[in-house]
Amino acid sequence: RKDIRTGIRKDIRTGIRKDIRTGIRKDIWTGIRKDIRTCIRKDIRTGIRKDIKTGIRKDIRTGIRKDIKTGIRKDIRTGIRKDIRTGIRKDIRTGIRNDIRTGIRKDIRTGIRKDIKTGIRKDIRTGIRKDIWTGIRKDIRTCIRKDIRT
């Protein structure tokens, strides 16, 4: 069936409506809209948009973008990128990388690495290691240990 005024074609058997002017196809049963020109699929029920060319999925409700090819999730609201394969979280706003598997946080701007498990901070630029729990600083280059408490 074709509506001449609106330019919408409807296939009764498959349940697909197609707007000739905009180039949008809509499946009535599944609730999936597909734009032929931009190659974007949108599921109305779940609120997930998928770009077929780039392979990027975007959840409109949560604001999470997921790249299927690279495996990187990005939360637009918090600004946190997460690589699913390596397990590294990166905060774009603060510049802190967090490795979930090893438990090492790294500040890219200051160059300070922090091991959450052992409690050791290491400054890559100066080469100074500091134990947070014992309060002992150690310079790797000069091999000088300093106890801050005593």
Side-chain angles (χ1 to χ4, degrees):
R1 284 174 43 212
K2 184 180 173 184
D3 198 331
I4 300 157
R5 285 180 288 125
T6 57
I8 293 169
R9 286 172 51 220
K10 185 178 176 184
D11 196 333
I12 300 158
R13 279 175 286 153
T14 57
I16 293 169
R17 288 173 64 232
K18 185 178 175 184
D19 198 331
I20 299 156
R21 291 173 195 157
T22 58
I24 293 170
R25 290 175 62 228
K26 184 180 174 185
D27 197 329
I28 299 158
W29 295 324
T30 58
I32 293 170
R33 287 174 62 226
K34 185 179 175 184
D35 198 331
I36 298 158
R37 291 169 194 161
T38 58
C39 287
I40 292 171
R41 284 177 62 233
K42 185 180 174 185
D43 198 331
I44 299 158
R45 291 171 191 158
T46 57
I48 293 170
R49 287 175 62 229
K50 184 179 175 183
D51 197 329
I52 299 157
K53 284 180 189 170
T54 58
I56 293 170
R57 288 174 64 232
K58 185 179 173 185
D59 198 330
I60 299 157
R61 291 170 193 160
T62 57
I64 293 170
R65 287 176 63 229
K66 185 178 174 184
D67 198 329
I68 297 159
K69 291 171 188 170
T70 59
I72 292 170
R73 286 176 63 230
K74 185 180 173 184
D75 198 331
I76 298 156
R77 291 171 193 158
T78 57
I80 292 169
R81 287 176 63 231
K82 185 179 174 184
D83 198 329
I84 298 158
R85 292 171 192 160
T86 58
I88 293 170
R89 288 175 67 230
K90 185 180 174 185
D91 198 331
I92 298 156
R93 290 169 194 161
T94 57
I96 293 169
R97 286 177 64 231
N98 193 342
D99 198 330
I100 298 158
R101 291 173 191 162
T102 58
I104 293 170
R105 286 176 65 228
K106 185 179 174 185
D107 198 331
I108 298 157
R109 289 169 194 160
T110 58
I112 293 169
R113 287 176 62 229
K114 184 179 173 184
D115 197 330
I116 299 158
K117 292 170 187 169
T118 58
I120 293 170
R121 286 176 67 233
K122 184 180 174 184
D123 198 330
I124 298 158
R125 291 169 194 162
T126 58
I128 294 169
R129 289 176 65 227
K130 183 181 173 185
D131 198 328
I132 299 157
W133 296 322
T134 58
I136 294 169
R137 287 176 66 222
K138 186 180 175 184
D139 198 330
I140 298 160
R141 292 168 193 159
T142 58
C143 291
I144 294 168
R145 287 176 72 237
K146 184 181 174 184
D147 198 329
I148 300 158
R149 291 172 190 154
T150 58

